[in-house]
Amino acid sequence: MTLLLACLSIGAQTVKDSNYRTVGYVERDGTIKNSNYSTKGYIKQDGTVQDASYRTVGYIKKDGTVQDASYRTIGYVKSDGTVQDSSYRTLGYAKDVPATHAALLFFFQLLK
């Protein structure tokens, strides 16, 4: 998995891969869009992640714990940007990237 980068843009955060290609956007209202601006899902204020049909696919807790729709822990986004699976194996790094962005790509893949 490539390293993720995020930067602020007008009205949204742009999510880029390690080659600086834009892979998607997370708008201020929590709408998740891919690079073609198609809506792929939503992040609610409480950390609930939904797909484009408003089905809950998981949760991102304030401490960086990532859970699936059944509340099973599927991974962690640590404060230093390390992304780990549920067995604490390192999947990659997303330094300076919001935990929600890292979770979208590493665990939910909603920007593809």
Side-chain angles (χ1 to χ4, degrees):
M1 181 70 52
T2 58
L3 182 66
L4 306 175
L5 303 170
C7 61
L8 289 175
S9 66
I10 298 173
Q13 285 192 335
T14 303
V15 181
K16 298 186 177 212
D17 67 14
S18 60
N19 294 315
Y20 298 96
R21 290 182 298 242
T22 298
V23 294
Y25 307 92
V26 179
E27 297 184 351
R28 288 186 181 160
D29 67 357
T31 302
I32 304 160
K33 296 190 175 208
N34 66 10
S35 60
N36 295 322
Y37 298 99
S38 296
T39 298
K40 302 304 281 183
Y42 308 91
I43 302 173
K44 298 178 80 178
Q45 290 289 336
D46 65 359
T48 300
V49 180
Q50 298 175 322
D51 66 14
S53 297
Y54 297 97
R55 289 183 298 254
T56 298
V57 295
Y59 306 91
I60 304 167
K61 302 297 183 185
K62 291 182 194 274
D63 67 357
T65 301
V66 182
Q67 298 175 322
D68 66 13
S70 298
Y71 297 98
R72 290 182 297 249
T73 297
I74 57 175
Y76 308 91
V77 181
K78 308 298 249 175
S79 60
D80 67 356
T82 303
V83 180
Q84 299 174 321
D85 67 13
S86 61
S87 297
Y88 298 98
R89 290 182 297 250
T90 298
L91 300 175
Y93 303 93
K95 187 176 184 203
D96 300 324
V97 175
T100 52
H101 290 54
L104 290 173
L105 285 148
F106 278 95
F107 298 106
F108 300 118
Q109 299 184 8
L110 288 175
L111 291 174
K112 291 187 177 198

